């Protein structure tokens, strides 16, 4: 695998991949961007598509040939050297990108100390570095392994290694104040260290992770500003927070109003339903009373009917008896006449 193949990759600029998340930190609009070590320009193309004016510094010959085909200002130069600094002397950029670059430099401190010269007022430096304290690296070291590879945490071209604390110290010592931190969390099972991780026993993994929240941070992204601009940035961030809180309050107020209107509507509907239920319950109660009255009347009528039937049967029997007696008398009278 060639060097250019290692650093050429495709990604969805609107997706959740690390490169896309980094580029979302570049302010919208036509900004001037200085990109250090862009490789063949995977991120550069997105910056151009978004309308930014891009200047790149790169020393890989193959990457330079690709970059020259893009609409960017190309400055050939080794970041460990000084020629590229002279080429942009006196220039100012709204954004400087050093994404996955510092770990390749012999003296990243020297580069960081000079970058402040090229930042426009209220400009920002965006940095991304691998986190050597990644649990996968420690799992491999637990097995006695620290092998370099073509890419990843232990890329064979990495000459400096950083943890969150160490990169913060380097930045502060170089005159930069970290303003924003963001972590690229990669499950160890999905990394190049998955085999070493699975080789550990459950107890070993548990002991390694105990009280360690950043065990799965594969890379750190830091947005920094010059320390001298820190108070201005704090004021700007405070204003931004106030605006954000104001917008949030307005949004919550609208939600509250909608929910209050909905609640009042529900209360009205509930009151109407309650009134209707009370009316129906009264009607049911009246119907039950009517049914009870009807049952009583039916019982009375049934009793009267039984009495009537009995009286009718008695009268019928008496009538029949009289009829038979009358017939018998007539018969007997006819039988004994001369």
């Amino acid at each position: 695998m060639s060097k250019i193949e290692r650093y050429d990759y495709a990604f969805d600029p609107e997706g959740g991949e690390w490169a896309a998340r980094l580029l979302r930190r570049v302010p919208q609009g036509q900004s001037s961007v200085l990109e250090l070590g862009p490789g063949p320009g995977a991120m550069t193309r997105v910056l151009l598509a978004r309308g930014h004016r891009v200047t790149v510094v790169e020393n890989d010959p193959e990457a330079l040939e690709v970059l020259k085909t893009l609409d960017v200002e190309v400055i050939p130069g080794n970041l460990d050297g000084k020629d590229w600094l002279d080429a942009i002397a006196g220039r100012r950029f709204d954004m400087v990108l050093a994404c996955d670059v510092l770990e390749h430099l012999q003296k990243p401190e020297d580069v960081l100390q000079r970058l402040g010269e090229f930042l426009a007022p209220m400009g920002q430096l965006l940095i991304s570095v691998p986190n050597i304290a990644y649990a996968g690296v420690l799992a491999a070291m637990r097995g006695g392994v620290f092998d370099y590879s073509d890419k990843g945490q232990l890329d064979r071209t990495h000459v400096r290694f950083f943890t969150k604390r160490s990169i913060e110290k380097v930045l502060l010592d170089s005159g930069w104040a970290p303003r924003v931190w963001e972590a690229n969390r990669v499950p160890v099972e999905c990394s190049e260290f998955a085999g070493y991780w699975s080789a550990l026993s459950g107890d070993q993994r548990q002991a390694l992770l105990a009280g360690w929240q950043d065990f799965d941070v594969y890379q750190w992204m830091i947005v920094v500003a010059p320390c001298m601009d820190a108070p201005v940035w704090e004021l700007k961030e405070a204003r931004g927070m106030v605006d954000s809180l104001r917008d949030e309050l307005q949004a919550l107020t609208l939600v509250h109003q909608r929910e209050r209107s909905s609640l009042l509507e529900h209360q009205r509907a509930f009151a109407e339903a309650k009134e209707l239920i009370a009316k129906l319950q009264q009607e049911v109660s009246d119907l039950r009373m009517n049914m009870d009255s009807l049952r009583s009347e039916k019982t009375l009528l049934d009793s009267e009917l039984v009495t009537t039937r009995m009286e009718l049967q008695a009268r019928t029997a008496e009538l029949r008896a009289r009829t038979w007696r009358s017939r018998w008398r007539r018969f007997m009278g006819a039988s004994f006449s001369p």
Side-chain angles (χ1 to χ4, degrees):
M1 180 183 293
S2 68
K3 183 176 180 181
I4 193 170
E5 290 175 333
R6 294 204 303 271
Y7 302 121
D8 195 12
Y9 52 92
F11 64 96
D12 177 8
E14 306 302 326
E17 296 178 81
W18 187 234
R21 290 163 60 187
L22 289 169
L23 289 177
R24 279 197 278 274
R25 293 291 179 176
V26 180
Q28 296 181 357
Q30 294 184 349
S31 303
S32 56
V33 179
L34 173 63
E35 187 180 9
L36 305 181
M43 295 173 64
T44 312
R45 292 180 176 85
V46 178
L47 290 169
L48 291 172
R50 293 178 176 174
H52 299 295
R53 303 182 304 278
V54 184
T55 299
V56 298
V57 179
E58 178 59 58
N59 70 332
D60 181 81
E62 294 181 65
L64 285 170
E65 291 302 315
V66 176
L67 292 169
K68 287 176 182 178
T69 65
L70 306 178
D71 186 21
V72 298
E73 179 185 6
V74 179
I75 298 178
N78 185 339
L79 292 173
D80 276 319
K82 295 184 179 180
D83 292 344
W84 67 277
L85 294 169
D86 296 334
I88 59 173
R91 303 271 298 277
R92 294 291 184 272
F93 300 90
D94 300 315
M95 195 83 182
V96 178
L97 272 60
C99 300
D100 299 306
V101 169
L102 298 181
E103 65 272 15
H104 298 274
L105 305 182
Q106 297 288 340
K107 293 184 177 181
E109 300 87 350
D110 292 348
V111 174
L112 288 170
Q113 287 170 1
R114 294 294 305 273
L115 283 179
E117 303 173 17
F118 309 108
L119 207 60
M122 298 305 294
Q124 297 180 93
L125 169 62
L126 178 66
I127 293 172
S128 171
V129 292
N131 175 33
I132 196 62
Y134 182 60
V137 177
L138 299 186
M141 293 177 66
R142 179 66 175 77
V145 178
F146 195 85
D147 292 341
Y148 288 92
S149 59
D150 287 335
K151 60 180 181 178
Q153 282 283 351
L154 300 181
D155 186 315
R156 63 182 78 259
T157 61
H158 290 181
V159 294
R160 292 290 295 270
F161 298 98
F162 300 101
T163 64
K164 182 179 182 180
R165 180 176 177 179
S166 65
I167 187 61
E168 182 178 39
K169 183 177 185 303
V170 169
L171 289 169
L172 291 172
D173 289 346
S174 301
W176 295 96
R179 308 306 308 159
V180 179
W181 290 86
E182 186 173 337
N184 180 25
R185 296 183 181 275
V186 177
V188 185
E189 298 84 356
C190 300
S191 73
E192 67 268 32
F193 304 102
Y196 301 113
W197 185 252
S198 62
L200 297 179
S201 68
D203 290 341
Q204 288 173 328
R205 287 195 293 269
Q206 196 64 32
L208 187 61
L209 301 182
W212 184 16
Q213 296 181 344
D214 296 333
F215 74 94
D216 59 347
V217 177
Y218 197 87
Q219 290 160 289
W220 287 110
M221 180 265 285
I222 317 103
V223 179
V224 300
C227 288
M228 65 181 67
D229 292 344
V232 180
W233 271 106
E234 289 175 2
L235 178 60
K236 181 179 179 181
E237 289 173 357
R239 288 175 177 170
M241 185 177 295
V242 169
D243 291 339
S244 177
L245 289 173
R246 185 181 292 112
D247 293 341
E248 185 177 350
L249 177 60
Q250 184 177 1
L252 288 173
T253 301
L254 292 174
V255 171
H256 172 71
Q257 291 174 347
R258 288 196 298 268
E259 291 183 348
R260 186 173 183 275
S261 299
S262 177
L263 178 60
L264 291 174
E265 186 65 29
H266 280 82
Q267 286 176 337
R268 284 193 293 269
F270 178 75
E272 292 174 0
K274 187 177 180 181
E275 183 179 347
L276 178 60
I277 290 171
K279 183 178 179 181
L280 291 173
Q281 286 176 337
Q282 183 61 46
E283 291 179 1
V284 169
S285 178
D286 293 343
L287 287 172
R288 284 176 176 169
M289 291 178 65
N290 290 336
M291 288 178 63
D292 292 341
S293 177
L294 290 172
R295 286 194 185 98
S296 299
E297 292 179 8
K298 181 177 181 298
T299 301
L300 181 59
L301 289 173
D302 288 343
S303 177
E304 291 177 354
L305 180 60
V306 170
T307 303
T308 301
R309 284 176 178 172
M310 291 176 65
E311 290 177 352
L312 180 60
Q313 288 174 354
R315 289 179 182 179
T316 301
E318 182 180 356
L319 181 60
R320 285 177 179 174
R322 287 178 181 177
T323 301
W324 279 107
R325 284 196 297 270
S326 176
R327 288 178 180 177
W328 176 257
R329 289 192 189 98
R330 287 197 299 269
F331 174 74
M332 293 300 293
S335 298
F336 295 101
S337 348

